[in-house]
Amino acid sequence: MDKQEEILKAALKLFVEFGFHGTPTSKIAKEAGVANGTLFHYYKTKNDLILALYTDIKTRLTEHIDSKASKNDSLKVAFKSLFINTLQWSQEYKQEFYFMQQFRVSPFILLIPHEDILRQAKAHLDIQAGIKNEILKPLPAEFLFSLINSHIYGIDQYLSSTNLSDSKQQKLIEDSFEILWDMIA
Amino acid sequence: MDKQEEILKAALKLFVEFGFHGTPTSKIAKEAGVANGTLFHYYKTKNDLILALYTDIKTRLTEHIDSKASKNDSLKVAFKSLFINTLQWSQEYKQEFYFMQQFRVSPFILLIPHEDILRQAKAHLDIQAGIKNEILKPLPAEFLFSLINSHIYGIDQYLSSTNLSDSKQQKLIEDSFEILWDMIA
Amino acid sequence: MDKQEEILKAALKLFVEFGFHGTPTSKIAKEAGVANGTLFHYYKTKNDLILALYTDIKTRLTEHIDSKASKNDSLKVAFKSLFINTLQWSQEYKQEFYFMQQFRVSPFILLIPHEDILRQAKAHLDIQAGIKNEILKPLPAEFLFSLINSHIYGIDQYLSSTNLSDSKQQKLIEDSFEILWDMIA
Amino acid sequence: MDKQEEILKAALKLFVEFGFHGTPTSKIAKEAGVANGTLFHYYKTKNDLILALYTDIKTRLTEHIDSKASKNDSLKVAFKSLFINTLQWSQEYKQEFYFMQQFRVSPFILLIPHEDILRQAKAHLDIQAGIKNEILKPLPAEFLFSLINSHIYGIDQYLSSTNLSDSKQQKLIEDSFEILWDMIA
DNA sequence: CATGAATGAGATTTCATTCAT
DNA sequence: GATGAATGAAATCTCATTCAT
């Protein structure tokens, strides 16, 4: 692994444990096994590092979801795939998922253009279309989007607080999707 | 308003905008219109101030909810009251509600005994009892709790991102409760 | 002497010896006998300190010159007074005078509005008027100003590089003025 | 142009604008279009670079003056040649001339043996001889030297602050020499 | 020769906290 | 109680310099 990756990895670990501001750049460098200045060789400022980490994680999650999606699925299958893959990823990459939540209630979120946030998230499925085709309930798309998102976060939180076996976890995720689908369709 | 209150008010405003660590105590003091040292007269450390603010806000929310609840309601009515009053409060005191979310994904949350968090939240309604009485679905209480909570946060987020009239907002909150109830009962 | 003065005094001493950037703020603080942070309590940045020092010295020189000037002098007497008092001050406050020269060939000079520099310098005598009254040679005022200034700096440099007794120094300054006067009148 | 020259050229440009310490070696390298390390291949330290630049410029000025001087001139003609050629050079190579002034009020000047400074400057004409031959006024040679030097700087400053046509500039330089000559002879 | 990633000492600046008034 | 000057540890960031390639 090259130094730049080591730095991101170390930053993630420490940010999750101590928060952005509770983590000095010197500790990140030490954890990454590089010199203090090396961090600033790759990231001009600590802010830049935080933003780069967010972008990196978001990209990885998006790629994971996209890699599992197939083009010709029905809306429900597409939704289900998105839902399940997001939650599986959230459990496999707990730190990453937690970091994103931290980031989203931090002032740093303001540095990400608002559209970027929505676009990427909604890119995976066309809620609008589902409403038009009368597959989804006739509610504002933004509202449905909020419901779906928060549902996912709720499940993630529950999974993280308990310690289910893989199969039980799998079952719970699938059941949860049916609950969600009943709610929005 | 006395100085102590002014300090809390100033801290809330600045924390929400700049984050805990992004807000120096000197700025809080200035915003509150008191001297630097005065802040430390009331709160021994900055940490103490943050915790006191959290406790203060949580208490105010709890009191609001409790003041609206009546003892002899059915479970559904009790749930509905909790749900509606929480969301109405979240919209009236947006900064406060946002602060609590910030606090909960921050390392400070570890300073609050885990049980305190659950107990207080669940104190208002006995999910366990609802399951036993077969009013609620036979799912783990913790799981239902997560679903309820995240649902509330989802609605709050949607309400905060749009700008509905009071009546429309009221309607949406009530509809959302029915959706939630269908999900858990 | 209060701390703010001590800081200016220490800064002057060290800047003259090591240059602006060759002097860390930590050394200034130590030389002034104050804590590191105290310097920044009075001057928001090192730049601010440098500018404040320049302004302070320039003010002191101006006040010295003004205090020695009398209103009703002839132009020649007024010039002579300015000339002599500037040079006496330059020898009494060598560090201060040297600092001003350092400052003037540094990028910091750009932070001082150009007009401020000329206005203050020319305020003491009206070259323009002297030209109109045919007391001074019919040359551009700016040109005469440059000649006068550089003459003063030349004498200062000579005085600083030799070690004359007070009386000889006094004599040389007076003779130099006559040389200057012959040059411009 | 080879890399070594590019480095000197870049250094000159940036030093004049930002000062010695205000200019990182990395910026010099970038401006010169070479890699960071290349600079240190040619100049062991930043200090060495600064000194080399000073020496280079001083040599070029000296060569310019020498190339214009003829051996058998009278003292006045020799002086005039020195004076005029210095000022013409100062206007043609403004950055270079400004750099030398910066250098002379910087702590770096101490790294140049004092005698070198005087010798080279005085090498071009024998003030001492002029005094003995009663061509120059019976004043200390060092004093005359200071007067001449500062006069030149004064003219340079005026020329740099205005924008005269070449012919007017030429005329002003010649007139200024007569003024100087009257002052010292 | 030339490169540029890597270093780490050190510079500037911030900031929670103290304390004499 | 209230003030705000003073503190100094610690944080972010810079930069001259090195060295493996």
Side-chain angles (χ1 to χ4, degrees), chain D residues 76-87:
Chain D
K76 181 172 177 182
V77 171
F79 261 80
K80 187 169 181 177
S81 165
L82 168 69
F83 183 89
I84 287 175
N85 291 318
T86 300
L87 280 167

Side-chain angles (χ1 to χ4, degrees), chain A residues 54-71:
Chain A
Y54 175 70
T55 303
D56 177 65
I57 292 175
K58 207 174 59 178
T59 303
R60 282 163 52 202
L61 171 54
T62 302
E63 280 171 359
H64 173 79
I65 291 167
D66 287 351
S67 74
K68 301 283 184 173
S70 44
K71 275 232 154 175

Side-chain angles (χ1 to χ4, degrees), chain D residues 13-79:
Chain D
K13 179 186 167 188
L14 295 171
F15 286 159
V16 163
E17 187 168 359
F18 303 109
F20 302 133
H21 292 273
T23 306
T25 52
S26 57
K27 266 197 196 156
I28 297 172
K30 186 180 252 179
E31 172 81 22
V34 303
N36 234 309
T38 303
L39 190 155
F40 289 91
H41 179 71
Y42 290 106
Y43 304 98
K44 234 169 52 131
T45 66
K46 189 186 182 180
N47 256 19
D48 283 0
L49 168 61
I50 294 172
L51 292 176
L53 181 55
Y54 176 69
T55 302
D56 177 65
I57 291 175
K58 208 173 57 177
T59 302
R60 281 163 52 203
L61 171 55
T62 302
E63 280 172 359
H64 174 78
I65 291 168
D66 287 351
S67 74
K68 301 283 183 171
S70 44
K71 274 230 155 177
N72 298 324
D73 288 337
S74 72
L75 190 63
K76 181 172 177 182
V77 171
F79 261 80

Side-chain angles (χ1 to χ4, degrees), chain A residues 54-116:
Chain A
Y54 175 70
T55 303
D56 177 65
I57 292 175
K58 207 174 59 178
T59 303
R60 282 163 52 202
L61 171 54
T62 302
E63 280 171 359
H64 173 79
I65 291 167
D66 287 351
S67 74
K68 301 283 184 173
S70 44
K71 275 232 154 175
N72 299 324
D73 290 337
S74 72
L75 191 63
K76 181 172 178 181
V77 171
F79 262 78
K80 187 169 183 177
S81 164
L82 168 69
F83 183 90
I84 288 176
N85 290 317
T86 299
L87 280 166
Q88 275 174 344
W89 195 88
S90 84
Q91 289 313 109
E92 191 171 347
Y93 299 99
K94 285 188 184 182
Q95 288 188 333
E96 280 84 348
F97 204 75
Y98 187 73
F99 172 85
M100 290 184 82
Q101 291 174 256
Q102 268 185 303
F103 188 92
R104 290 210 176 99
V105 288
S106 78
F108 293 107
I109 192 65
L110 298 174
L111 303 178
I112 306 285
H114 186 60
E115 294 166 15
D116 280 16

Side-chain angles (χ1 to χ4, degrees), chain C residues 75-118:
Chain C
L75 192 63
K76 181 173 179 183
V77 172
F79 262 79
K80 188 170 182 176
S81 164
L82 169 70
F83 184 89
I84 288 175
N85 290 317
T86 300
L87 280 167
Q88 276 174 344
W89 195 88
S90 84
Q91 290 311 109
E92 191 171 347
Y93 298 100
K94 286 189 184 183
Q95 287 188 331
E96 280 84 347
F97 205 74
Y98 188 73
F99 172 85
M100 291 183 81
Q101 290 174 258
Q102 268 186 304
F103 188 92
R104 290 209 177 101
V105 289
S106 79
F108 293 107
I109 192 65
L110 298 174
L111 304 176
I112 307 284
H114 185 57
E115 295 167 14
D116 280 17
I117 299 167
L118 290 184

Side-chain angles (χ1 to χ4, degrees), chain B residues 49-69:
Chain B
L49 167 61
I50 294 172
L51 293 175
L53 181 55
Y54 176 70
T55 303
D56 176 65
I57 291 176
K58 207 174 58 178
T59 303
R60 282 162 52 201
L61 171 54
T62 302
E63 279 171 0
H64 173 79
I65 291 167
D66 287 352
S67 74
K68 301 284 185 173

